[in-house]
Amino acid sequence: MKQHTSIFFWLLLAPFALWLILLVIIPHIDMLGIALREQTAPREYAFSFKNFIEFFTEPLYWRTFMRTAVMSILATALTLLIAFPVSYYIAKMLRGRSKSFLFLLCLIPFWVSELVRTYGWMILLRETGVISNALQWAGLVSGPVELLYNDAAIMVGLVYTSMLFMVVPLVTVLESLDDDIIEASYDLGGNMWTTMRQIVIPHAMPGIVSGCIIVFMMTLGNYLTPNLLGGKDSLWFTEQIYTQFITRFNWELGSAFGILLLLLSSLIVWLGLKLSRQTLTSTMT
Amino acid sequence: MIPSISQPPSLRWTYRAYILLFYIFLIAPLAVVATFAFNDSLFPSLPWNGFTLDWFTGDTPQRLGVFSDSAMLESVGVSAFIAFFVTALSIFVATTNAFLFERYDFRFKEFLYMLMLLPLVIPGVILGISILISSNSMANYMDEVFNLEVEFLRPGLVLVILGQFAFITTIATMVIGARLRKMDRSLEEAAYNLGASKTAVLRTITLPYLRPAMVGAAIVAFLMSFENFNTTLMLTSSDSPLTITMFDRLREGSTPELNAVSLLLMIVSGVLALISVFVQKKEDS
């Protein structure tokens, strides 16, 4: 390693420091400052917890907050349940070309804009959409059915959008599990379920935790999917933030909401890391 | 559960059917978006009225195709402009970050690396509003103290570029840093022993070695910028980039022109994705 005093070190530190301080640290300190103030007269502000008190006293706000948290946890669990068998199939059942082909096929939809993916679900789910028509054609329903603008539609969209971020860490961790260990488990009299529970899942735990953390964060901060698939009553917390900032121009309350969302996200991530004894750096790389 | 352990055929086929269903789930939304781009109807829904290219080439007000829709084309230009600057800025800072963290030891290195990862953990909407708040208070300060109206600190292209640059740099740093970590240092030492200067080694040995990672990271950065929605939504003004224009159209009720735009987007991002996978494959060998 080089000496600290080298001019190159300072030349490399400068862009890093400028980027991080100006675009990440100062803006968040400013946001906290605005969240903790109250307008007392035109252009006069005072320190106050008013915005946070408003959040806890107005049921619409904290209900939306809780609802976003619960639905994000549910979406994370569903994504894990759906992705695990698929990742296992790719990592353990396939070899060579078919393996890389199916893995790549898993990735390609996510290179496409989230807007396009969500638009696809709208075409599938709406009253005049593909699924409604297919159901009528099959004689299962007598008239058009509206499948859009409800919580199930939001859930489908969220799970779809998160899939990649679960499949990649799961495939990586499952590939590192030696086939011999699974065979040994069978030789010792284990069946499919005991092998799953005692060998595969404990081995896959780091991947499960990484996937869940990333999916949860992305779902919590999502705006497009609940907004387009859930319609007017989607009640997602990021929509509240948008409303306060852009429609109502109440930046103080909007900042307080932003801080609360950040706190919730950090708390769940921290819990996940503690429970699995991992660090943020190891999860992300 | 692995190919070498025999399972009842019924279980094997159920597993395969599940995998097939999963891939249908993955492809369906993209397939319908692409298909309805060619439907000879005013709405992107069934019934199928026959094949047409109107939504690409049409130029009547009723059937405006992508290539004649000047507002749409203009927003593609805006997006490309933003993506170009975001890519250039983030690749530059990511490269200096990679050297900083892979080649130097300094106090608080672990902590600073964790700070470097932060933008990935912060929801896009919040990153957007925090930068909005900061730049706005800076603009107000300039106005009050120096009586200067600093236009670029108000919502608009510059803020969108800064907002996307804030988090895309983290992703690019991870890609370039991983490549630099794998480099064999003896290559550089050999060049020093042969009398090369520091800049000559950088230009002829280190940077060429990093090039595949830099190209890969640049493709990812460009795509992420082009497709970004959450951060952009909070920072944009009248010159709206493509995702914002598409979002507005979608809420007004769309014509299949939107499908045509989406299909073109899918093709471009698919090709770019394949190039970046190819570049990384070459990097491994």
Side-chain angles (χ1 to χ4, degrees):
Chain A
M1 291 289 171
K2 311 258 167 63
Q3 283 171 352
H4 296 182
T5 46
S6 135
I7 180 149
F8 290 101
F9 173 73
W10 295 107
L11 279 177
L12 291 173
L13 188 68
F16 169 74
L18 280 175
W19 162 68
L20 195 70
I21 294 172
L22 288 181
L23 291 177
V24 184
I25 295 175
I26 290 184
H28 283 85
I29 293 174
D30 278 351
M31 182 164 76
L32 184 64
I34 292 209
L36 286 172
R37 77 180 195 189
E38 161 182 24
Q39 195 162 22
T40 47
R43 291 176 162 248
E44 293 276 329
Y45 296 96
F47 179 87
S48 133
F49 285 109
K50 178 181 160 266
N51 303 306
F52 291 93
I53 294 167
E54 193 170 342
F55 167 80
F56 286 105
T57 47
E58 169 63 55
L60 174 70
Y61 297 154
W62 59 260
R63 276 193 197 144
T64 306
F65 187 74
M66 289 313 291
R67 176 185 143 85
T68 307
V70 170
M71 285 197 46
S72 298
I73 291 172
L74 196 63
T76 308
L78 270 174
T79 310
L80 176 62
L81 273 180
I82 294 172
F84 195 87
V86 176
S87 313
Y88 188 88
Y89 196 84
I90 293 175
K92 288 273 135 232
M93 306 293 279
L94 296 174
R95 296 277 180 276
R97 258 176 200 284
S98 54
K99 178 179 190 155
S100 21
F101 176 71
L102 277 197
F103 189 53
L104 220 82
L105 200 60
C106 249
L107 305 192
I108 282 176
F110 301 94
W111 287 85
V112 177
S113 163
E114 190 187 350
L115 195 81
V116 174
R117 287 180 254 149
T118 313
Y119 183 42
W121 281 109
M122 290 173 78
I123 296 177
L124 284 171
L125 293 175
R126 68 174 150 216
E127 212 175 339
T128 54
V130 176
I131 293 176
S132 167
N133 271 289
L135 289 174
Q136 289 174 69
W137 179 80
L140 291 171
V141 290
S142 51
V145 276
E146 178 67 280
L147 298 165
L148 209 54
Y149 309 128
N150 56 49
D151 288 357
I154 299 181
M155 206 45 94
V156 169
L158 289 175
V159 169
Y160 184 85
T161 282
S162 316
M163 202 46 83
L164 165 84
F165 302 94
M166 195 62 94
V167 169
V168 170
L170 285 180
V171 168
T172 313
V173 79
L174 285 171
E175 271 187 328
S176 69
L177 174 63
D178 209 321
D179 281 0
D180 296 345
I181 298 176
I182 296 175
E183 279 176 18
S185 163
Y186 275 86
D187 290 344
L188 292 169
N191 60 24
M192 200 173 96
W193 297 116
T194 48
T195 309
M196 245 322 141
R197 222 180 49 238
Q198 295 180 4
I199 309 288
V200 179
I201 291 180
H203 178 88
M205 217 49 199
I208 294 176
V209 172
S210 310
C212 284
I213 285 178
I214 297 167
V215 168
F216 177 79
M217 285 185 325
M218 297 198 33
T219 313
L220 201 64
N222 201 320
Y223 176 87
L224 256 185
T225 303
N227 189 287
L228 288 176
L229 299 180
K232 288 202 167 30
D233 304 316
S234 55
L235 292 176
W236 208 256
F237 202 63
T238 47
E239 292 177 317
Q240 269 306 332
I241 297 179
Y242 180 83
T243 309
Q244 296 304 334
F245 262 86
I246 311 291
T247 324
R248 301 239 181 104
F249 219 70
N250 187 348
W251 286 23
E252 282 77 18
L253 192 57
S255 299
F257 288 180
I259 298 286
L260 287 165
L261 193 69
L262 265 185
L263 283 179
L264 175 67
S265 162
S266 324
L267 179 77
I268 301 264
V269 171
W270 181 81
L271 270 178
L273 293 175
K274 270 278 162 272
L275 287 176
S276 63
R277 300 198 189 91
Q278 287 185 307
T279 65
L280 183 65
T281 314
S282 71
T283 309
M284 290 296 166
T285 48
Chain B
M1 272 195 321
I2 46 176
S4 60
I5 291 167
S6 67
Q7 294 284 347
S10 61
L11 190 69
R12 261 202 332 264
W13 285 106
T14 319
Y15 201 179
R16 277 181 200 162
Y18 174 79
I19 300 296
L20 183 69
L21 273 178
F22 175 80
Y23 279 97
I24 293 174
F25 167 74
L26 220 54
I27 302 301
L30 303 182
V32 293
V33 168
T35 313
F36 283 110
F38 302 105
N39 192 9
D40 196 358
S41 147
L42 289 178
F43 307 100
S45 55
L46 291 170
W48 181 258
N49 290 342
F51 180 88
T52 179
L53 285 176
D54 278 359
W55 301 112
F56 292 90
T57 56
D59 55 2
T60 56
Q62 250 229 316
R63 289 190 169 217
L64 199 55
V66 196
F67 298 125
S68 315
D69 186 341
S70 58
M72 192 67 89
L73 290 177
E74 208 170 285
S75 67
V76 173
V78 171
S79 283
F81 177 84
I82 294 170
F84 173 79
F85 281 99
V86 170
T87 308
L89 280 171
S90 54
I91 294 304
F92 173 74
V93 176
T95 309
T96 58
N97 282 357
F99 276 98
L100 181 68
F101 284 106
E102 299 301 330
R103 291 295 169 86
Y104 290 89
D105 242 341
F106 45 93
R107 258 199 288 174
F108 309 121
K109 181 174 169 179
E110 290 277 304
F111 176 70
L112 286 178
Y113 192 76
M114 217 190 70
L115 282 185
M116 195 278 292
L117 291 177
L118 267 190
L120 278 191
V121 188
I122 301 166
V125 172
I126 294 182
L127 200 62
I129 57 170
S130 67
I131 290 175
L132 179 66
I133 290 171
S134 246
S135 61
N136 190 63
S137 52
M138 182 105 82
N140 287 346
Y141 178 81
M142 297 299 262
D143 190 26
E144 277 163 34
V145 179
F146 303 106
N147 206 13
L148 275 175
E149 178 55 40
V150 191
E151 201 48 56
F152 71 84
L153 288 173
R154 305 290 184 189
L157 289 183
V158 174
L159 283 198
V160 173
I161 291 172
L162 289 178
Q164 296 183 354
F165 164 55
F167 77 93
I168 290 176
T169 301
T170 301
I171 296 159
T173 303
M174 287 163 70
V175 175
I176 299 173
R179 173 82 173 165
L180 191 57
R181 200 173 311 140
K182 279 194 288 185
M183 185 174 180
D184 185 359
R185 293 296 289 274
S186 56
L187 290 173
E188 287 172 331
E189 260 139 43
Y192 284 126
N193 288 342
L194 293 169
S197 69
K198 227 175 163 168
T199 42
V201 171
L202 188 69
R203 220 184 51 240
T204 56
I205 312 279
T206 321
L207 284 182
Y209 176 84
L210 281 182
R211 192 152 59 211
M214 287 167 76
V215 172
I219 292 175
V220 172
F222 191 89
L223 272 179
M224 293 201 84
S225 162
F226 209 85
E227 296 180 346
N228 181 268
F229 182 81
N230 285 359
T231 308
T232 309
L233 178 72
M234 304 315 251
L235 297 171
T236 188
S237 67
S238 51
D239 293 327
S240 42
L242 184 63
T243 45
I244 305 288
T245 307
M246 286 174 74
F247 180 70
D248 290 340
R249 297 270 180 106
L250 240 175
R251 305 183 76 180
E252 291 164 12
S254 54
T255 69
E257 185 204 349
L258 218 50
N259 297 60
V261 182
S262 303
L263 178 59
L264 294 173
L265 256 182
M266 277 191 241
I267 292 170
V268 172
S269 45
V271 168
L272 283 178
L274 284 178
I275 293 176
S276 94
V277 169
F278 182 71
V279 167
Q280 272 163 12
K281 275 262 164 66
K282 245 175 74 181
E283 177 187 330
D284 288 338
S285 59

